[in-house]
Amino acid sequence: MKRQRTNPANHHQEKKHRRHHPLVWLVILSATIPSLTPSLGVAQSDTPPSPTITPSTETYRESAVDERKERQSPEKNLPITPKDSQVKAAKKGDPYVLEFNRSPVVGTRFSLRGIYDEARLGFTKPREWKLKTVKALIKYRHSPALYATRSNLTVMLNGASLGSIPLNRKEGEIGTAIFDVPLAQIQNYNQVTIAALQNNSPTCTQDPYDPSLWTEILPDSKITFDYDPQPIELNFNQYPYPIFDELSLYPNQISYLLPEKIDSQWLTTINRYQIALGRIADYRRLNTRLIKTITEVKTTERLVIIGTPTQQSAIKSLKLPIPIKDNQLLDEKQKPLAPDVGVLILTTTTENTTPILIATGNSPAGVAKAIQFLVQSKDQKIGTGQSILVKTLTTVPSPPAREWPRYLPLKPEFKMGELTDRNNQPLKDITVRGSDSPPIEFDFRALPDDKFGPNNFITLNYSYGPQINAKTSLVEIKLDDVALIGKRLTSINGGNKETLRIELPPDRIKPTSKIQVDFRLDARERRSCSKVTDQQLWGTLHNDTSFKLNRTNSVQVPDLKLLQYGFPFGAPQDLSNTAIVLPKSPTIEDMMTALEFSARLGRLSQATSVQLAAYTADTLPQEIKEKHHLVGIGTQKNFPFPEIFTSEGFQLKETSTRQLKQSNIQTTPDNDGVIKEIISPWNKERERVLIALSGQTETGLEQVQNLLHQDPLFYQIQGDTVLISANVAETDSNNPNAYNLKFLQQERKEELEKKPLPNQFLQLIQTSWFLLGPAMIAATLILYGIVQLYLKRVAGQ
């Protein structure tokens, strides 16, 4: 829930909320979130009648899947027929109740203060819902000092008023109001606004900041949806739906079917796809698990099957639009498809309750090409139909290592219009209105390896309207809520394209920084009781506001705090310099840890492709080992890089032994998770890192998974080693308070990238050019003195 002190008629600026949170699906949504987009050379799409399935109406409670599946001959998959194109809707379920306290920004209380205040709450409408009725129940209590005839609460949905409530309750009395929501007002992305007008006098309120002006919306207020579930169309023109629903009010749940044999190619494809899902998910919840048979899939999940018919024999038992014979996929002439052709299919379980995505082919190369089509955002956009044959695929080159979308441009000078908003759109001119307008805020995110010197400036270009009080109106610039400078607005006739140059402190520009421009506008004339007439007051920040930065790229590792931004694994952003390495025979917990790490990297990176590779310990090429950032996964006994536990700092040893420098202890049991980072010992340039996701037991790996999965835990990490333990034996994996984190910094830090001496000299010249003139003059004078001294000595001889 976000609170704004702004005029009720003007909602020009909303605070951005980029931090991920387990329940941050309930946030202010003013525009659609960009979906995954991938770049195809030639793709062939088969378009039979698009079948649909009916979603489950169960509210994500544990439900057993009917195991009485209709078995078929393993070599005769049942083809899709026209009568399979529509499945009857499931039986109507219970209404869905959306409580306000499910939003992390609401918490346990939600207050409105002052003469006028408002707050907003966002929610989505799932695609497969056909709404019948929607009701909003608002529970509230307010200050006994409010004057009933001049105080009210107004509820709005997407800008349309649902009704008003007089604030006339007695002290401590809880009020309840129910509003019928017009179905025509419900959109995919919706915003509920609750506005409070509060006065404590029958004539006028003298002090707008009187602490007695308050109303609280109770967190058990709710919105109730009565709906009928609708069939789901299986068509790639809606991808990532129905595999991932960006509008879902539930966490998206993905199950991967394990193949009969785990190899490096399968590990690479599944982790690349998980990274792509992480990018789509962004701040939304994504739950993942691995299953051994199709009968284990739940009706609330989406199933993904990756592999050839030989690797995934279950494919042959499903309804497919492409025939299979002798474990070979056939074309329209009943001949086997070429080995390098990728095949993508959307289908369902035999009960038509769960959507299934199949990425297959007649060889692992074909399977890899099918997945690569989905993870390359430009290619994926052209997909349609129920099945796709990917015959050729454009190779997407890796972006430069320091070209990170959503971060500052690499140029030393750039304009505000080159920055983007949370929807990846270029920033435009922004106008705010009113005497108490919210600040204009935009991201100013430095790259994780940016190091700033002195002389960083912002040249603010702004305009403002007439009717202001020149003595009390100003514009204020803040960096991460810390005021840098303010300037009075001196023209009573308004200002046009005025400028203000501000120096940015080099030690305060961070990868999470935001700049706020706050117009504090005061009217020249006031009404009685000091009530401000502010409809005519406005200020505009122009997108030709310019920046000049003096920076180099320098960072010291190991430092797990950098992992909060995906660094260094996200350099470049397609993850082409990163390799995940699992034990020779990985367990389910090993693979689940890899998937959680991949999902996290997906959330932290933005690129048009994914090039991460995954290996088992016995298949890791020596060249990859020497040239890539490495992510080792496994318990201490099976860890693929035991060298990390023989280096300096914290060590895990056999028989549940721990060692820190000369201290050595043995524990029983040791169920803690461990994350440790060191400089890769195999990289000669000392430019790559090795990170361990480990523990003495598989329970320890589960703790690592929980840290990677939960934002409140993940955004605490620091040092070079993190020890993760649970407070109680039976923990709620979604409760961040159920875990203890301990941080160690034992390894000696080194520069990740060391520049050659000539480059350092050139960098010094570039950053200190203003000293070049005086230095040349000084050098000339010194040389002149030496020459004169020499000439005098010659003349004396």
Side-chain angles (χ1 to χ4, degrees), residues 164-452:
S164 295
I165 311 166
L167 298 177
N168 55 6
R169 299 288 170 176
K170 297 178 182 180
E171 182 175 2
E173 184 179 355
I174 295 177
T176 302
I178 298 177
F179 300 92
D180 288 321
V181 179
L183 298 183
Q185 290 297 122
I186 300 292
Q187 305 169 8
N188 285 343
Y189 294 92
N190 304 278
Q191 184 172 265
V192 174
T193 303
I194 301 177
L197 179 63
Q198 303 173 125
N199 286 281
N200 55 11
S201 169
T203 55
C204 60
T205 299
Q206 299 288 341
D207 183 6
Y209 302 107
D210 190 328
S212 68
L213 301 175
W214 61 266
T215 298
E216 284 190 352
I217 309 301
L218 301 187
D220 55 346
S221 300
K222 63 190 71 175
I223 302 175
T224 303
F225 303 86
D226 189 10
Y227 68 95
D228 286 330
Q230 297 298 296
I232 299 174
E233 183 180 1
L234 299 177
N235 197 314
F236 278 103
N237 61 13
Q238 302 181 84
Y239 186 84
Y241 183 79
I243 302 305
F244 188 98
D245 186 2
E246 296 166 299
L247 302 178
S248 176
L249 291 176
Y250 299 112
N252 280 272
Q253 303 192 53
I254 305 294
S255 288
Y256 291 100
L257 184 64
L258 287 167
E260 296 180 5
K261 182 181 179 181
I262 306 296
D263 57 29
S264 295
Q265 292 173 313
W266 185 83
L267 289 172
T268 295
T269 54
I270 189 175
N271 280 282
R272 287 185 179 183
Y273 186 69
Q274 183 76 351
I275 290 169
L277 286 182
R279 289 177 178 171
I280 299 170
D282 198 5
Y283 58 84
R284 305 170 184 87
R285 289 293 299 275
L286 173 64
N287 295 336
T288 305
R289 71 184 186 117
L290 296 166
I291 60 175
K292 296 181 179 179
T293 63
I294 291 181
T295 57
E296 297 177 43
V297 69
K298 302 173 184 177
T299 56
T300 56
E301 294 177 321
R302 303 296 185 253
L303 179 60
V304 177
I305 302 177
I306 299 174
T308 64
T310 301
Q311 294 173 309
Q312 299 279 16
S313 58
I315 293 176
K316 294 173 287 189
S317 66
L318 300 172
K319 299 178 181 179
L320 304 177
I322 297 177
I324 298 177
K325 183 178 181 181
D326 297 329
N327 286 330
Q328 295 283 301
L329 294 155
L330 308 180
D331 59 16
E332 64 276 3
K333 297 180 180 179
Q334 301 301 305
K335 294 183 178 180
L337 293 171
D340 63 343
V341 172
V343 180
L344 291 166
I345 300 172
L346 285 174
T347 186
T348 73
T349 56
T350 54
E351 298 87 358
N352 286 0
T353 57
T354 302
I356 300 176
L357 169 66
I358 301 175
T360 186
N362 287 335
S363 74
V367 176
K369 185 178 288 187
I371 287 295
Q372 201 64 23
F373 172 80
L374 294 180
V375 305
Q376 292 187 181
S377 54
K378 293 181 180 179
D379 290 337
Q380 178 269 318
K381 285 182 178 179
I382 66 174
T384 191
Q386 191 199 347
S387 65
I388 298 175
L389 302 182
V390 186
K391 295 184 176 179
T392 60
L393 197 62
T394 303
T395 300
V396 179
S398 292
R402 303 187 74 246
E403 186 178 290
W404 289 34
R406 299 183 180 177
Y407 286 78
L408 296 178
L410 297 178
K411 298 183 297 183
E413 297 185 20
F414 57 91
K415 295 185 177 180
M416 190 181 97
E418 298 177 57
L419 303 178
T420 58
D421 59 17
R422 62 180 178 180
N423 299 314
N424 287 328
Q425 299 301 313
L427 291 175
K428 300 180 180 179
D429 291 358
I430 304 174
T431 298
V432 293
R433 292 182 178 271
S435 60
D436 202 12
S437 59
I440 298 171
E441 182 180 80
F442 55 90
D443 286 333
F444 199 71
R445 305 175 66 190
L447 290 171
D449 62 344
D450 274 341
K451 184 177 181 180
F452 292 87

Side-chain angles (χ1 to χ4, degrees), residues 442-640:
F442 55 90
D443 286 333
F444 199 71
R445 305 175 66 190
L447 290 171
D449 62 344
D450 274 341
K451 184 177 181 180
F452 292 87
N455 303 311
N456 305 286
F457 294 96
I458 169 176
T459 302
L460 203 71
N461 290 338
Y462 62 97
S463 301
Y464 54 94
Q467 302 295 326
I468 66 164
N469 186 332
K471 293 183 179 180
T472 56
S473 298
L474 59 86
V475 59
E476 182 182 65
I477 294 85
K478 296 181 285 187
L479 178 62
D480 294 330
D481 294 317
V482 176
L484 300 179
I485 196 173
K487 181 183 178 183
R488 283 176 51 193
L489 306 179
T490 56
S491 175
I492 61 175
N493 296 319
N496 181 33
K497 287 281 188 173
E498 294 190 3
T499 62
L500 175 61
R501 184 176 172 88
I502 311 108
E503 185 171 3
L504 298 172
D507 58 334
R508 293 184 183 173
I509 307 176
K510 307 295 183 184
T512 54
S513 289
K514 295 178 182 291
I515 286 181
Q516 297 97 13
V517 179
D518 202 349
F519 285 92
R520 303 294 181 88
L521 306 174
D522 195 11
R524 193 186 318 168
E525 299 178 0
R526 296 173 179 268
R527 292 182 180 178
S528 60
C529 298
S530 299
K531 184 175 181 180
V532 176
T533 305
D534 65 358
Q535 293 299 305
Q536 80 283 12
L537 303 178
W538 59 267
T540 296
L541 176 65
H542 297 290
N543 72 344
D544 59 353
T545 291
S546 60
F547 303 89
K548 182 179 180 182
L549 300 178
N550 176 20
R551 55 181 169 170
T552 58
N553 58 306
S554 175
V555 67
Q556 291 188 328
V557 292
D559 185 0
L560 286 172
K561 187 176 180 62
L562 296 170
L563 185 60
Q564 296 182 15
Y565 322 114
F567 189 85
F569 306 99
Q573 288 276 279
D574 65 352
L575 311 175
S576 55
N577 281 346
T578 298
I580 294 176
V581 185
L582 290 83
K584 181 178 179 180
S585 300
T587 65
I588 288 182
E589 292 303 330
D590 295 332
M591 291 182 284
M592 279 301 306
T593 305
L595 290 176
E596 289 292 352
F597 186 82
S598 294
R600 179 58 65 178
L601 284 184
R603 295 179 190 272
L604 297 173
S605 63
Q606 293 291 322
T608 56
S609 183
V610 180
Q611 297 294 337
L612 175 138
Y615 304 91
T616 54
D618 58 323
T619 62
L620 176 64
Q622 185 65 26
E623 181 182 4
I624 299 295
K625 188 176 182 180
E626 295 175 355
K627 299 296 184 182
H628 282 53
H629 299 295
L630 302 175
V631 183
I633 296 174
T635 59
Q636 183 276 332
K637 182 179 180 180
N638 299 314
F639 195 74

